[in-house]
Amino acid sequence: MNLAQNVEGSNPWLNIGIFSLFVAITLVIVFRASRSSKTAVDFYAAGHSFTGAQNGVAISGDYLSAASFLGIAGAIAVNGYDGFLYSIGFLVAWLIALLLVAELLRNTGKYTMGDVLSFRMRQRPVRAAAATSTLVVSFFYLLAQMAGAGGLVALLLNIDSKAGQALVIAVVGIVMIVYVIIGGMRGTTWVQIIKAALLITGAFLMTVWVLGKFGFNLSTLLGAAVERVGEGGAKLLDPGNQYGTSGTSKLDFVSLSLALVLGTAGLPHILMRFYTVPTAKEARKSVVWAIWLIGIFYLFTLVLGYGAGALVGADVITAAPGGVNSAAPLLAYALGGTVLMGIIAAVAFATILAVVAGLTITASASFAHDIYANVIKKGAADDKAAEVRVARITALVIGAVAIGGGIIANGQNIAFLVALAFAVAASANLPTILYSLFWKGFNTRGALWSIYGGLIVCVVLIIFSPAVSGGEKSMFTGVDFHWFPLSNPGIVSIPVAFLLGWIGSKTSKESDEAKYAEMEVRSLTGAHAEKAVAH
């Protein structure tokens, strides 16, 4: 009887019990937080009341999704060196967020990315474009997380039926909706902080445990992982095991790297976190905290990945119900049996739950603040309570759509959904943010061309790429309508978005230099920036 079969015979009730305990504790915290979430600034930005350290922990909780914990550990276990490149790409991306975006964004905006992009543009069309981009990125990220929950359930709770997995996806979605509707950003942030502490602590304990089995010698661990594979195992330590050495494979890897490194600074749910702190200095500090925590966690993934390869084996991992995503839970079972696996299962579910809550509040805030208040009401909506009410209704709708999408996508290849979210963020959002902050000649036409152009080019190239059809690991394996050779379009769509923003701005004379000067002073000094709300 192999390990995967043993796991199927483990105690799903223990897994459910530990997860239910996490949900119960966080719901109590969310209800307590809801007492002080009365105004729009409370609901969207937690009254700008979190410290840099608290927000840094929350950012790491938002960023370290199921893909980071389960996906990267699995990629390293199966592909070795190439899998660890995901960790490096995700971490390096934070330097762009720290040096170019965090402080300036906190000084210039109020609640959403649309606040910054529309500061010196025509409000309605730019806010509509920013909200569209935010909703698209958030939806695909949500879909990936919710579908990932279904795959995880198959392994951790021994629920093989599609109906049972659909029920669990619905439960995850409902709890997430409760977090957002009741607690707003304040409640969601505390959920992120608790989840980050659990995830990093759990990964740390497993890392120490794995290293202890190999005499705290990383070289011995790597050797054991190579030996477990047998012939050809040395490839785990060499580049090219996943992406190959052909020209197209190398180009695909460069394209993926561009999307990962540049996408983070354009992810709406990450950008929105910068508004929960009182000052730009705290925003900068929160990114430094996030970099340290995320960097340390990704070092843990190196040990966990190779540990899973050595103690479980790539063949067992890939044959398990959750595929490569099963590496961390299977490693936990190999180390500490049912109890440790129950704890890691709870952490994995908490990870999905916290990330989807962060995504949902971002999408609902963008719709309510940018579309409802500034496009439909033309900025004349004095009733902030009505805006918050719209945000809560939007969260309900988005949650329902995410549950439905997650059930439909359950069992499908979800890697392309995450890649799409990063690629869209890097293509549609980042060029427009950087142009808005640093280029005096940027104008409304440039912003619209950059956002919509980047969005359309990126989505079209993904649809007609091997990620969707024509390959063994495509979402639709029975058909082939791909003509774009790369799985990730970042190397094409990102430069195209920058180019379209430049052409659009150059072909339009509309430019408010006085407004740019005001934005530059505000972004660099913090003058007239949103202040913290005292309670």
Side-chain angles (χ1 to χ4, degrees):
M1 183 179 284
N2 66 29
L3 188 60
Q5 289 170 328
N6 283 339
V7 169
E8 287 178 15
S10 66
N11 190 344
W13 291 109
L14 179 68
N15 300 342
I16 293 170
I18 297 172
F19 178 60
S20 300
L21 182 64
F22 168 83
V23 171
I25 293 170
T26 49
L27 280 176
V28 170
I29 292 169
V30 165
F31 275 106
R32 287 178 66 86
S34 68
R35 295 175 187 172
S36 53
S37 290
K38 297 179 176 65
T39 64
V41 73
D42 287 325
F43 187 82
Y44 295 143
H48 310 297
S49 60
F50 282 94
T51 65
Q54 288 173 327
N55 194 46
V57 177
I59 287 175
S60 67
D62 227 345
Y63 193 67
L64 297 173
S65 67
S68 295
F69 181 42
L70 304 173
I72 294 177
I76 294 170
V78 175
N79 299 306
Y81 179 93
D82 279 13
F84 190 54
L85 293 172
Y86 278 92
S87 293
I88 296 169
F90 282 135
L91 181 60
V92 169
W94 279 100
L95 293 176
I96 296 171
L98 173 64
L99 299 175
L100 297 179
V101 175
E103 185 176 354
L104 305 181
L105 201 78
R106 171 64 189 83
N107 282 337
T108 314
K110 189 175 183 181
Y111 302 141
T112 67
M113 183 178 72
D115 290 332
V116 178
L117 301 185
S118 65
F119 188 87
R120 57 193 180 96
M121 317 283 181
R122 280 186 283 125
Q123 292 273 321
R124 295 178 72 194
V126 173
R127 282 189 182 276
T132 301
S133 173
T134 296
L135 289 168
V136 170
V137 175
S138 298
F139 174 72
F140 281 105
Y141 220 112
L142 265 173
L143 202 58
Q145 297 296 322
M146 299 295 278
L152 199 58
V153 167
L155 178 74
L156 301 177
L157 302 183
N158 196 19
I159 298 175
D160 294 323
S161 71
K162 289 291 182 183
Q165 292 176 25
L167 180 63
V168 174
I169 290 173
V171 170
V172 170
I174 290 165
V175 175
M176 166 264 292
I177 292 167
V178 171
Y179 283 161
V180 174
I181 290 179
I182 295 174
M185 180 56 92
R186 196 185 302 275
T188 302
T189 299
W190 280 114
V191 173
Q192 305 285 17
I193 290 171
I194 294 167
K195 168 253 164 164
L198 282 175
L199 180 61
I200 295 170
T201 303
F204 170 72
L205 292 174
M206 284 179 65
T207 299
V208 172
W209 201 329
V210 168
L211 286 174
K213 280 187 170 289
F214 296 95
F216 292 96
N217 189 321
L218 184 61
S219 181
T220 305
L221 167 61
L222 298 179
V226 169
E227 191 178 326
R228 177 75 186 234
V229 174
E231 189 179 345
K235 289 181 179 178
L236 287 177
L237 306 180
D238 297 328
N241 196 28
Q242 181 175 2
Y243 292 99
T245 53
S246 69
T248 304
S249 297
K250 289 179 179 177
L251 202 60
D252 212 351
F253 173 67
V254 172
S255 189
L256 175 67
S257 301
L258 270 176
L260 296 182
V261 170
L262 298 179
T264 296
L267 288 174
H269 67 295
I270 298 296
L271 297 176
M272 195 169 170
R273 295 234 60 89
F274 299 138
Y275 300 128
T276 65
V277 291
T279 64
K281 181 183 177 183
E282 292 295 313
R284 194 168 62 246
K285 189 189 293 184
S286 65
V287 178
V288 173
W289 268 85
I291 287 174
W292 275 104
L293 292 171
I294 292 166
I296 290 167
F297 177 83
Y298 283 144
L299 287 177
F300 295 159
T301 63
L302 181 67
V303 176
L304 296 178
Y306 278 112
L311 297 173
V312 181
D315 52 341
V316 175
I317 292 168
T318 51
V324 293
N325 294 331
S326 308
L330 287 172
L331 175 61
Y333 189 80
L335 291 172
T338 307
V339 175
L340 184 61
M341 187 184 170
I343 294 169
I344 296 304
V347 170
F349 276 122
T351 297
I352 291 170
L353 204 54
V355 172
V356 295
L359 287 162
T360 303
I361 194 164
T362 300
S364 61
S366 184
F367 181 85
H369 184 62
D370 292 324
I371 301 288
Y372 172 77
N374 289 285
V375 175
I376 297 174
K377 293 292 185 179
K378 302 179 183 178
D382 296 325
D383 185 5
K384 290 295 180 184
E387 190 178 320
V388 172
R389 191 164 60 250
V390 169
R392 287 188 165 120
I393 294 169
T394 308
L396 198 61
V397 173
I398 290 168
V401 171
I403 290 169
I407 291 170
I408 292 169
N410 185 22
Q412 297 283 359
N413 183 327
I414 61 168
F416 90 101
L417 294 172
V418 177
L420 179 57
F422 270 84
V424 170
S427 304
N429 295 346
L430 188 66
T432 320
I433 290 169
L434 294 182
Y435 276 149
S436 294
L437 291 171
F438 298 108
W439 183 24
K440 182 165 62 176
F442 194 52
N443 56 34
T444 301
R445 181 185 290 180
L448 296 178
W449 283 25
S450 180
I451 294 174
Y452 287 127
L455 189 66
I456 292 167
V457 169
C458 182
V459 172
V460 167
L461 292 182
I462 281 277
I463 289 171
F464 294 104
S465 76
V468 175
S469 71
E472 290 180 10
K473 297 181 180 179
S474 301
M475 185 176 183
F476 303 108
T477 52
V479 291
D480 184 1
F481 49 83
H482 91 279
W483 49 260
F484 184 66
L486 307 180
S487 294
N488 193 292
I491 200 167
V492 174
S493 59
I494 297 169
V496 165
F498 273 106
L499 182 63
L500 287 172
W502 182 79
I503 293 172
S505 298
K506 286 294 185 181
T507 55
S508 173
K509 300 297 182 185
E510 172 200 336
S511 183
D512 191 338
E513 294 194 9
K515 200 72 173 168
Y516 171 76
E518 181 189 341
M519 183 177 184
E520 187 175 38
V521 170
R522 179 181 287 205
S523 66
L524 294 174
T525 66
H528 307 298
E530 282 290 305
K531 302 302 179 187
V533 176
H535 286 289

